[in-house]
Amino acid sequence: MLAAGAACLTAVLGLAAPATAAPHPNPGYMAANTAAQIAALQQIKQTESASDRKVDSRLLVENKLRTDRSAHTALPQVQSGVKVAAGNTVLVDIRATKTSDALVDAVQKAGGQVKNVSQREATVRAEVPLAAVSSLATRDDVKQIQPGSDAMTSASSAPGRNSADTDPVSKQTRDARVEQATKPGMRANLAAAVVSQGDRAHAADTARQQNGVTGVGTKLCALSDGVSSLAASVATGELPPVDVLPGQEGSGDEGTAMLEIMHDVAPGAALGFATAFNGDASFADNIRALRSQEHCDIIVDDVFYFNEAAFQDGPIAQAVNAVIADGALYFSSAGNEGNVGDGTAGHWEGNYVDSGQPIAKFAGGANNFAAATGGTQILEPLSASSAGVPVTLWWNDPLGHAGDDYDLYLLDAGGNVVTFSQNIQNGTQDPYERINTTGGNQRLAVVKFKGDAKYLSLSALRGRFVDSSDGLKAYVTPGETSGHSAAAGAFSVAAAPAADAFPRALEPGDPPNPAGPYPGTFSSATKIERFSSDGPRKIFFNADGTPVAGGSVVRQKPDITAADGVSTSVAGFSPFYGTSAAAPHAAAIAGLVLSGNPGMSNADVRQALTATAVDIGAPGVDNRTGAGVILADRVLAYTGASPQPLAVAQAPSVKGPNGSPFVKPGDTATVTLPVYNGGDGTAASTSVVVDSPTPGVTIAPRSKRYGTIEAGQTVINSFTLTVPATQQLGVPVVINAKVTFAGAHSPTTQTFQIPIGQPSTVVQDFAYTGAPVAIPDNSAVGASVQIPVSGVGRASKITFSIDGTSCSTAAGSTTVGLDHTYVGDLTGTLTSPSGATAVLFQRRGGPGHNFCQVVFDDNAATAFSSVSSTNAPFTGSWKPQSGLGSLLTDAVDGTWTFKVVDGGPVDTGSIRAVSLHLNGFVA
C-alpha cells in the first residue's frame, strides 16, 4: 500500500538527486531542501494503509528502500536506522490484544523465530523476515509492530552497552576465563579478594564492624545485561552462590560486577539475578519474578529502555511500582546522560510552539526551540561527538492513546534529511518517536503533523546539544532522568567517584573529571560525576492514562548519590564507572539497614537514607545529587541498627524403629532436628515447636528449648514422631518447625516432608518417544518435550537421563540424547505434573558439544555445575543444579516437561532422547 507514496517522492521533491544547498543564510529557519524532503516523507505517511499504520515507520521505509528504486532516487541520504540481519530479518516487538498460540504460530509460519512471549504485557518478541512484517500487521490481534525495543546499561563507557549490539566480548573468551578460574586446585592460588573502594568511601566497612550487621536476613537482586562470568566469581570467592532465574542469565558481565559490589558492602546478604536485556516486556516480567519467585527484598537495575515513557509510568515502571507495593525496595541508575549544571546534557523539554514554517500542505509545522527567548529556531544542534546516539521524542498524550501526531527528523549540516521517525498517532499509539544519529554535528527537527500543541521532551541519550559553528544555538533544559528510575517510590541513584577520576574527557575540550576521597570517605567536598543525569521528572498521567490531579506533578529525581569508579574482579569492570556502579552500592547499604532493622518500612528506610545523606550539590535537595551522598555509618547509627540473630530449623534426619532408615505406617520414629543461627547476633532463649497438619500424626514433646545459639553455631534436639497405621504408603508426613528466639527475625518456620514407606528398588522408566525437537537459538521460549507417566502414584526417588545410543562430539549427531554445538548456552529444567520445577543444568560446559548417556541424580558425587568443555561429550552421573527430590511432594502420574533454553547466539541443536526414571515404594 506504500507504492503510491513512494512513487510520488520524486514528484514532490522535483529532483532526481539530493539537494546539497549551502547552509541557510538565516540559521535556524528551514532550508528549502529540508522542507521538500520532509514533505516527501510526509507524503508516504499520508498514503499508508490501515495495516501499514500498525507498523513503525522505520520498518516500512526500510522495506521500501530495499524494494523500490524510486525511494532511493528521491531520498538517497535517508537511512531508516533499522538493523537488518544477513538473512533480511529484523528483530521486532509485536504488541497484541493478547498473546496466543495462534499468534505465535503465525509468526513462525511467516519464517520468524520467537525470542520471548510475555502474557502480561501481550508482547511477542521475534526475529522475522522484513518482507513479512506488513502481512503480520493485517492480523486483528496485532496492535503494533515495532523494531525490537532496545536499551543500554549505565556503565560509563561510550555510549554504554546497547542491548541491540552483540556482546563485545565473545562467549568463547568469557567461558575460557570461567574454565580457568574453576579448575580444580585454583582456589589455593587465589590472591586476596577484590573489594570495591566504595565500601570504604561509604564507610560501610567501619559501619559493619561498629554495628555488627552484614546484610544477613535480606536478599539483594540485580537486573542488568548478564552474568556470563558468575561461575568464575563464585569459584574465586568473590561471590557466594547466586539464585539466577532459569533461562534469564543473559549475556555480558555488568550484572556480575554489580553483584560483586553488593556482596562487598553487604557480605551476609543472599543474592539473585535476572537479565533485563531481552526486551522491555521481559524486563518488566523479570522485575516481578525476582520478587514473587526469588523473594528479593531489594532489587536494583542499571538499564534504561529507550521507549520508556517520559510523562507516565509505563510497563517497566508499573512493574517497579508493583514490587514496591509488595514491600520490596527498588534502586535504579539515574543514568549517564549528562546534566545542565556541568554542560553535558542533550535534553530539552517545553511546550510546542509553532515556528510559523508549515511543511508542505499539512497542518502544523516545525517546533520553535527559541520561542522562550523571543527568537525563531527550528533546529536543535548536536555536538561533533554525538554520533551513534539514540534520540527520543515524547509528548504529553497518554500511552496507547496518542491522538496528536508529532514527527522527528535528523538533518546533516547541508539540510538533508538523514533519518527520521514519523509513526502514525491517531488515538491508539504511544506518543513516541525514536531515531539514532549517524554522525557528528547533525541537527534535530520536531514537526507537528497534526493535532494540538503539546508539552515535548527531546533527548539525545549520551549526546550533547551545543551551539553550532553556523549560528545555531543549543537549547537545553534539565530533566534527563526518566522512565522507571523516575518511578515515585524508586530510588534514582546519581554517581560520585570513590577514587580515581574518570580517565578521559567526556568530549574534547571538557574540564577534568572529579576524583573521589578513597581511602577517605565521602564528605561535603565530594563532587558528582559530570556525566550523571539530572532531574526532575514532570509527570502528566497516572499509570492508567488518566490525568494526574492538577494537570501535572514534578517528581524530585535523582533521590541520592553513591559511589562509582570502583574495582571488581570482573574483566572490563575494573574500574567500574557510571551510575551502574552507584546503584548497587546504595542498594547494599539499604540491605545493611534492613539487616539491622528487620521489618523497617520502605518509608522509614527512605527517610533514613535521605535524612543522613551528606549534601554535596546546591544547598538542600537538588536535581543532580538528590539529598546527597549516603554514608553507611551515619544511616545505621540513625536507625539504631543492631546485630540480629537468625535461627532457622534445618532438614531433619529420621530413624524408624530399631534405627531403620525407613518410616512405615504405624511406626514410631525419632526425628533429629538441627537449628542453625546464620545471623549476626546471638539467638538467646531459643525454643522450637514442632507440629504436623497430617491427620493422626503425633509429635512428642511438642516443644523443646534449644537455649542460646551463638552466631554460626548449630544446636540439635530430638523429637518422637508417631505415624498412624492409616497413613497412605508413599504419602509423606508434613512437619512444621517454628523456631522462636530473642530477635526481630523471630519466629522462623520451616516445613519438611518425611517420606513414609520403604523405597522400592524397582525402577520404572518413561521415555520421550517423539521426533527430535529443534532448540531455537538465543530464545527464552526454548524447546520442550513431554513425558507421560502413569501407574506409579507416589515416588520415592527420581532421576532424569539424557540418553543416546552412541556418544560423540560431532555437530548435529543423531545418536546422542541432546546435540548442541555450545552446551554452555543451555539451561535445562524439569517440571512435574503439579508444576514444581527443578533446574538440571544452567549455562555450564562452554563450547563443549552434546549430552549423551547423562544421568541427573541427587545422589551423584559431582555437580554438573563443575563441568568444563573438556568433559564433552557430557556423559555419566551428575548432581543437578537444584534437587530433583523437590518434585516428589505430589503424586507423579501425569505429564512431565523437559525444557531447554538457549541463551547464547549462533549455536544450535536438538532434543532427541530423554527419559524419566522413578522408584515407587515397597507394598
Side-chain angles (χ1 to χ4, degrees):
M1 298 299 293
L2 286 178
C8 71
L9 283 173
T10 53
V12 174
L13 289 173
L15 44 88
T20 56
H24 197 283
N26 192 351
Y29 285 81
M30 187 166 287
N33 61 318
T34 304
Q37 291 176 40
I38 291 177
L41 288 165
Q42 287 186 338
Q43 185 65 34
I44 293 179
K45 180 173 179 174
Q46 188 73 359
T47 56
E48 290 175 3
S49 68
S51 60
D52 285 338
R53 291 173 184 176
K54 297 181 182 180
V55 181
D56 187 280
S57 62
R58 293 168 292 166
L59 291 168
L60 289 172
V61 173
E62 179 62 36
N63 190 48
K64 186 55 58 181
L65 290 172
R66 289 170 176 265
T67 58
D68 191 323
R69 185 170 297 178
S70 66
H72 267 302
T73 302
L75 292 166
Q77 301 290 335
V78 169
Q79 303 173 41
S80 71
V82 172
K83 291 189 176 182
V84 182
N88 286 330
T89 60
V90 290
L91 182 68
V92 297
D93 287 327
I94 302 171
R95 315 293 185 179
T97 55
K98 68 175 183 177
T99 54
S100 64
D101 291 341
L103 177 57
V104 171
D105 185 58
V107 172
Q108 293 171 334
K109 286 181 177 178
Q113 184 185 65
V114 177
K115 299 292 187 181
N116 189 72
V117 177
S118 172
Q119 300 290 344
R120 185 182 186 92
E121 302 302 337
T123 297
V124 175
R125 189 174 179 88
E127 187 84 23
V128 301
L130 178 61
V133 169
S134 290
S135 62
L136 286 171
T138 63
R139 291 180 57 90
D140 291 340
D141 55 354
V142 171
K143 294 166 62 178
Q144 293 286 310
I145 301 180
Q146 303 160 341
S149 54
D150 52 343
M152 64 182 172
T153 63
S154 293
S156 194
S157 52
R161 185 176 173 204
N162 190 306
S163 61
D165 298 333
T166 56
D167 190 341
V169 180
S170 72
K171 62 184 181 182
Q172 291 85 356
T173 299
R174 291 192 193 278
D175 284 339
R177 292 172 183 162
V178 170
E179 292 195 359
Q180 178 64 27
T182 56
K183 281 182 179 179
M186 280 298 295
R187 189 67 181 266
N189 301 321
L190 296 179
V194 178
V195 177
S196 164
Q197 291 89 338
D199 189 47
R200 174 84 284 273
H202 282 293
D205 52 356
T206 52
R208 290 192 303 274
Q209 183 179 28
Q210 292 167 358
N211 295 275
V213 297
T214 65
V216 161
T218 64
K219 188 169 186 179
L220 314 180
C221 298
L223 298 115
S224 187
D225 57 352
V227 284
S228 297
S229 298
L230 177 62
S233 291
V234 173
T236 56
E238 296 288 347
L239 283 173
V242 176
D243 296 325
V244 181
L245 282 178
Q248 301 298 321
E249 301 85 2
S251 67
D253 267 321
E254 202 154 321
T256 312
M258 292 172 70
L259 291 167
E260 285 197 7
I261 288 172
M262 291 196 290
H263 183 60
D264 288 346
V265 175
L271 299 173
F273 179 81
T275 185
F277 256 32
N278 198 21
D280 55 353
S282 172
F283 185 14
D285 288 345
N286 283 350
I287 290 170
R288 297 176 190 270
L290 284 178
R291 179 61 177 172
S292 63
Q293 297 177 33
E294 295 298 335
H295 311 292
C296 303
D297 300 297
I298 298 173
I299 303 174
V300 60
D301 80 82
D302 70 334
V303 173
F304 174 72
Y305 271 84
F306 306 135
N307 65 347
E308 291 194 62
F311 302 129
Q312 179 182 347
D313 287 344
I316 298 172
Q318 290 174 39
V320 170
N321 295 339
V323 299
I324 292 172
D326 192 53
L329 291 165
Y330 201 98
F331 292 77
S332 185
S333 303
N336 305 337
E337 283 69 62
N339 60 81
V340 173
D342 284 309
T344 54
H347 177 78
W348 175 88
E349 61 183 77
N351 292 311
Y352 169 83
V353 175
D354 195 333
S355 63
Q357 297 191 59
I359 307 300
K361 63 182 180 180
F362 300 105
N367 179 60
N368 179 12
F369 291 98
T373 61
T376 302
Q377 181 174 303
I378 55 87
L379 300 178
E380 180 74 85
L382 289 150
S383 70
S385 298
S386 298
V389 302
V391 179
T392 63
L393 172 67
W394 291 93
W395 55 98
N396 64 325
D397 278 338
L399 292 173
H401 297 283
D404 303 286
D405 195 339
Y406 286 79
D407 298 321
L408 178 61
Y409 299 93
L410 181 72
L411 316 176
D412 63 19
N416 297 299
V417 178
V418 178
T419 192
F420 63 93
S421 181
Q422 54 173 37
N423 295 312
I424 293 283
Q425 281 91 21
N426 59 10
T428 61
Q429 299 84 8
D430 291 338
Y432 170 65
E433 303 289 347
R434 150 81 191 285
I435 62 173
N436 275 20
T437 62
T438 61
N441 295 316
Q442 294 177 326
R443 295 98 191 276
L444 298 165
V446 175
V447 173
K448 179 166 70 70
F449 185 74
K450 67 176 182 64
D452 296 333
K454 308 300 290 186
Y455 189 85
L456 309 177
S457 170
L458 180 67
S459 296
L461 304 172
R462 306 282 178 97
R464 192 179 295 184
F465 296 156
V466 298
D467 295 349
S468 71
S469 60
D470 58 351
L472 294 173
K473 179 176 175 54
Y475 290 91
V476 186
T477 64
E480 191 80 68
T481 294
S482 64
H484 68 278
S485 178
F491 288 90
S492 180
V493 186
D500 294 339
F502 186 63
R504 61 174 175 79
L506 304 182
E507 291 202 4
D510 275 6
N513 297 304
Y518 183 83
T521 59
F522 288 125
S523 69
S524 59
T526 294
K527 301 296 183 185
I528 193 173
E529 294 281 18
R530 299 182 65 255
F531 51 70
S532 197
S533 295
D534 61 9
R537 174 57 18 229
K538 194 170 188 177
I539 298 293
F540 288 89
F541 300 99
N542 297 308
D544 62 4
T546 58
V548 300
S552 67
V553 296
V554 176
R555 293 177 181 170
Q556 166 57 48
K557 297 290 172 177
D559 297 278
I560 52 177
T561 302
D564 79 334
V566 301
S567 298
T568 76
S569 76
V570 183
F573 294 91
S574 190
F576 183 10
Y577 285 96
T579 54
S580 284
H585 281 100
I589 291 171
L592 295 178
V593 172
L594 288 184
S595 179
N597 303 273
M600 178 177 279
S601 70
N602 283 7
D604 286 345
V605 174
R606 176 175 290 275
Q607 200 274 339
L609 289 174
T610 56
T612 60
V614 176
D615 196 353
I616 60 171
V621 178
D622 65 81
N623 71 333
R624 291 196 298 156
T625 68
V629 65
I630 57 176
L631 288 172
D633 58 348
R634 289 167 61 108
V635 69
L636 291 184
Y638 183 89
T639 61
S642 60
Q644 298 294 321
L646 183 60
V648 179
Q650 306 298 297
S653 61
V654 183
K655 295 292 184 181
N658 302 315
S660 169
F662 315 120
V663 179
K664 301 176 182 179
D667 281 352
T668 297
T670 300
V671 177
T672 302
L673 184 70
V675 173
Y676 171 70
N677 179 11
D680 293 323
T682 299
S685 304
T686 305
S687 63
V688 178
V689 172
V690 182
D691 60 18
S692 174
T694 305
V697 170
T698 60
I699 299 172
R702 181 175 178 272
S703 66
K704 277 196 173 182
R705 296 185 182 277
Y706 277 61
T708 298
I709 308 176
E710 299 295 335
Q713 289 189 343
T714 300
V715 172
I716 298 173
N717 267 313
S718 295
F719 299 79
T720 298
L721 170 73
T722 301
V723 181
T726 56
Q727 181 72 15
Q728 183 181 343
L729 190 69
V731 177
V733 166
V734 176
I735 64 171
N736 298 317
K738 184 170 77 171
V739 182
T740 304
F741 51 95
H745 286 298
S746 177
T748 63
T749 301
Q750 299 294 311
T751 298
F752 305 103
Q753 295 198 346
I754 309 300
I756 302 300
Q758 180 177 341
S760 171
T761 58
V762 177
V763 180
Q764 300 183 63
D765 302 318
F766 303 88
Y768 168 69
T769 58
V773 177
I775 302 168
D777 182 42
N778 200 17
S779 168
V781 175
S784 299
V785 298
Q786 295 184 328
I787 304 172
V789 171
S790 61
V792 178
R794 296 282 179 166
S796 61
K797 182 180 178 182
I798 177 174
T799 62
F800 182 83
S801 64
I802 302 177
D803 306 321
T805 57
S806 179
C807 301
S808 75
T809 57
S813 171
T814 60
T815 63
V816 301
L818 189 158
D819 72 280
H820 198 276
T821 52
Y822 207 99
V823 166
D825 284 349
L826 304 181
T827 297
T829 57
L830 181 65
T831 301
S832 73
S834 67
T837 296
V839 180
L840 301 172
F841 49 89
Q842 189 171 31
R843 302 292 289 271
R844 294 308 310 276
H849 291 198
N850 304 346
F851 287 91
C852 183
Q853 299 173 12
V854 175
V855 178
F856 290 97
D857 185 344
D858 286 348
N859 296 321
T862 307
F864 191 81
S865 59
S866 67
V867 301
S868 70
S869 58
T870 59
N871 295 113
F874 299 97
T875 62
S877 294
W878 301 91
K879 187 176 294 184
Q881 180 81 10
S882 61
L884 291 172
S886 63
L887 306 181
L888 301 182
T889 56
D890 295 296
V892 297
D893 293 339
T895 301
W896 291 70
T897 301
F898 173 56
K899 179 178 179 180
V900 179
V901 171
D902 181 337
V906 179
D907 294 276
T908 57
S910 299
I911 304 171
R912 298 182 176 277
V914 297
S915 300
L916 191 62
H917 313 281
L918 297 163
N919 295 63
F921 289 88
V922 175

